[in-house]
Amino acid sequence: MKLDSIRAAEAKLLLNTYERSPLLFVRGEGVHLIDENGDRYLDLLSGIGVNALGYGHPAVVDTIAEQSKKLVHISNLFFHEGQAELALRLTEKSGMDRAFFCNSGTEAMEAALKLARAHAGKKRCEGKALGTKILALEHSFHGRTMGSVAATHKEKYREPFAPVMPGVEFVRFDDVTDLKAKFSNEVCAILLEAIQGEGGIRPVSQQFIQAARELTQSTGALLIVDEIQAGLARTGKWFAYQHYRIQPDVITIAKPLAGGLPLGAMLCREEAAQAIHPGMHGTTFGGGPLACAVAIAVIDAIEKEHLLDHINKVGSHFRQQLESLKQKHSAITAVRGLGLMLAIEIDSADLAKTALGEMTKRRILINRTSETVLRFLPPYVIQKQHVDEAIAALDETFTEHSPAYAGEHAHTQGGTKIG
Ligand SMILES: *Cc1c(COP(=O)(O)O)cnc(C)c1O
């Protein structure tokens, strides 16, 4: 098997950053991935929310072919046809005014953090008292570079690299009282995910996001919403914050933006944008002609194929089916999420891990975040029959490995360790 030799070579040659699943995928078709043996897997993870149109979608494939013949890279020293056109689509959908393009989620966050600091600096020059502190939430995930990792809650991501960017304080998740206690005019931005992704698919409440909006408005600080995982149609609206009655000052997007090519963006309102002048921030690769052309094609496909409607329909079917599973299996303690950003909470980390393995055996790809949460981030083009296939596999898994069943079948492997 090719997998074994690649695995051995990687163990020797790559920085030891990932614990990969022992699978070698060689191509994809629609919502399926095909491994080196020709086995087909139903992909409910889409490269962590990136492959929004699945695999081999003509909007992605044909646009890459056509644009790559014309121009792949030009640098930000020159104009090209894509950035303003993509910015127009994104600002229209978000109610923002301006875009900055980069290559990844964490870079979009860096742009947002730098904007927040520059904006506060500008306000100070105008005589306003505004500090440099940033409030982020417990269980947040914003990326791995020194700025965004400083705003990422998990200590094991930050601590080995100390000192990361100073000035971040964490607020208890969805706790308005804690937010109010920690807010002051020392704060230049509140940073949050409307639905926490890596933190376990947890939506914040209307009350919390509204408090964050009102507090920042009262001092001139910025409200930054990280839409890197939840944004761009995944939750059944263009942006997750649109499920709430607020408008942020800044949003960051990335994962599904260019259908699998690396592209990120920070979108902001005019007032905040005024803090940035030529030379203050930039990137060599960000917003290149190829990535922009594909992103435009992805957005057009979402519209032409009415995928927002589709996500709402398939997503609510998926959610209902997960709710029924929860009724049936006591090991499932909660169902969370919106659209095609869904999760179930499992009452033990061991069982969650076992279930993940069982699903992989059944050739269905999902993943686990924060130990006890099984997450579903399927491609937007997933159909009802794929959802039903996944639900049947989950049902089987939890029947075989549920605590009640383990009593009767104590000899079966995995069944005994739960309880
Ligand atoms: C993935 C993710 C990031 C980081 O994106 P990268 O492209 O991996 O740098 C930031 N915020 C959220 C909410 C994410 O899900």
Side-chain angles (χ1 to χ4, degrees):
M1 272 205 323
K2 222 173 173 180
L3 172 64
D4 295 326
S5 61
I6 289 176
R7 209 179 183 181
E10 282 202 358
K12 232 166 95 180
L13 295 166
L14 297 194
L15 196 64
N16 190 17
T17 46
Y18 306 109
E19 283 181 55
R20 303 193 205 276
S21 300
L23 292 166
L24 177 61
F25 291 114
V26 291
R27 71 203 164 81
E29 281 174 18
V31 296
H32 291 97
L33 278 166
I34 294 136
D35 74 5
E36 60 170 332
N37 309 312
D39 289 330
R40 292 169 77 82
Y41 286 72
L42 175 61
D43 180 14
L44 299 187
L45 190 56
S46 57
I48 321 184
V50 169
N51 302 316
L53 300 181
Y55 301 93
H57 193 288
V60 175
V61 175
D62 297 348
T63 309
I64 290 176
E66 280 154 33
Q67 182 59 42
S68 65
K69 284 180 217 154
K70 292 193 227 158
L71 197 59
V72 172
H73 173 78
I74 185 71
S75 88
N76 282 303
L77 298 174
F78 301 100
F79 291 97
H80 69 74
E81 294 168 307
Q83 281 195 17
E85 196 181 330
L86 178 56
L88 179 64
R89 280 173 175 66
L90 294 171
T91 52
E92 275 176 359
K93 296 193 187 326
S94 60
M96 294 289 165
D97 298 308
R98 290 177 185 270
F100 170 78
F101 292 107
C102 52
N103 309 285
S104 64
T106 201
E107 277 178 82
M109 289 311 309
E110 295 295 324
L113 294 168
K114 286 172 86 172
L115 179 67
R117 290 275 175 83
H119 174 257
K122 181 170 173 283
K123 291 267 181 183
R124 284 195 297 277
C125 287
E126 294 163 3
K128 253 200 138 172
L130 204 58
T132 57
K133 235 170 87 172
I134 285 157
L135 296 184
L137 267 58
E138 292 188 358
H139 315 299
S140 63
F141 182 87
H142 298 295
R144 305 282 200 161
T145 50
M146 285 294 196
S148 58
V149 84
T152 291
H153 183 239
K154 223 179 240 179
E155 207 178 308
K156 72 169 186 190
Y157 294 164
R158 286 182 281 120
E159 192 266 333
F161 310 109
V164 295
M165 179 188 78
V168 179
E169 193 174 357
F170 291 100
V171 172
R172 275 199 295 278
F173 179 75
D174 217 31
D175 186 332
V176 176
T177 310
D178 197 38
L179 177 68
K180 285 185 174 161
K182 286 171 179 160
F183 190 83
S184 70
N185 60 10
E186 279 305 301
V187 172
C188 69
I190 298 177
L191 173 54
L192 57 86
E193 299 155 82
I195 304 177
Q196 288 191 334
E198 302 308 302
I201 315 294
R202 289 171 210 279
V204 296
S205 62
Q206 170 67 29
Q207 198 197 10
F208 185 86
I209 208 166
Q210 199 167 322
R213 179 65 287 184
E214 283 162 14
L215 289 169
T216 45
Q217 248 153 9
S218 72
T219 63
L222 300 180
L223 176 61
I224 303 171
V225 178
D226 178 343
E227 293 270 348
I228 291 165
Q229 186 165 146
L232 293 163
R234 166 124 341 248
T235 65
K237 288 190 188 281
W238 276 105
F239 299 99
Y241 74 79
Q242 292 169 339
H243 293 281
Y244 302 84
R245 295 176 298 281
I246 59 118
Q247 179 71 18
D249 302 299
V250 180
I251 66 172
T252 52
I253 54 177
K255 286 186 165 98
L257 178 55
L261 293 192
L263 181 66
M266 179 204 62
L267 309 177
C268 65
R269 294 168 108 175
E270 186 63 34
E271 200 271 329
Q274 288 304 316
I276 300 292
H277 303 294
M280 280 174 76
H281 191 53
T283 158
T284 300
F285 287 106
L290 181 63
C292 285
V294 176
I296 291 164
V298 167
I299 291 171
D300 289 351
I302 292 172
E303 290 192 317
K304 262 189 260 155
E305 296 172 25
H306 309 289
L307 288 178
L308 278 172
D309 267 358
H310 178 76
I311 289 164
N312 281 307
K313 283 200 195 98
V314 181
S316 69
H317 174 69
F318 203 159
R319 208 192 143 110
Q320 277 164 21
Q321 295 300 305
L322 291 172
E323 295 281 2
S324 315
L325 275 188
K326 176 175 170 277
Q327 296 304 314
K328 192 168 165 190
H329 302 286
S330 61
I332 303 171
T333 57
V335 179
R336 290 192 296 267
L338 277 170
L340 289 174
M341 183 176 186
L342 296 168
I344 49 179
E345 179 90 42
I346 310 302
D347 67 357
S348 99
D350 274 351
L351 180 55
K353 202 173 169 184
T354 304
L356 187 64
E358 288 295 318
M359 291 296 280
T360 309
K361 266 194 225 157
R362 289 166 171 78
R363 301 207 179 118
I364 297 176
L365 302 175
I366 57 173
N367 92 327
R368 191 163 66 115
T369 74
S370 51
E371 300 287 304
T372 53
V373 178
L374 296 181
R375 171 171 62 172
F376 311 94
L377 293 173
Y380 301 169
V381 293
I382 189 177
Q383 301 295 324
K384 187 171 168 290
Q385 83 244 27
H386 304 123
V387 172
D388 294 343
E389 194 185 318
I391 294 292
L394 284 166
D395 191 14
E396 237 177 68
T397 296
F398 286 105
T399 302
E400 281 171 25
H401 295 272
S402 72
Y405 201 78
E408 297 167 45
H409 297 258
H411 59 280
T412 58
Q413 201 206 357
T416 46
K417 47 178 192 207
I418 312 309

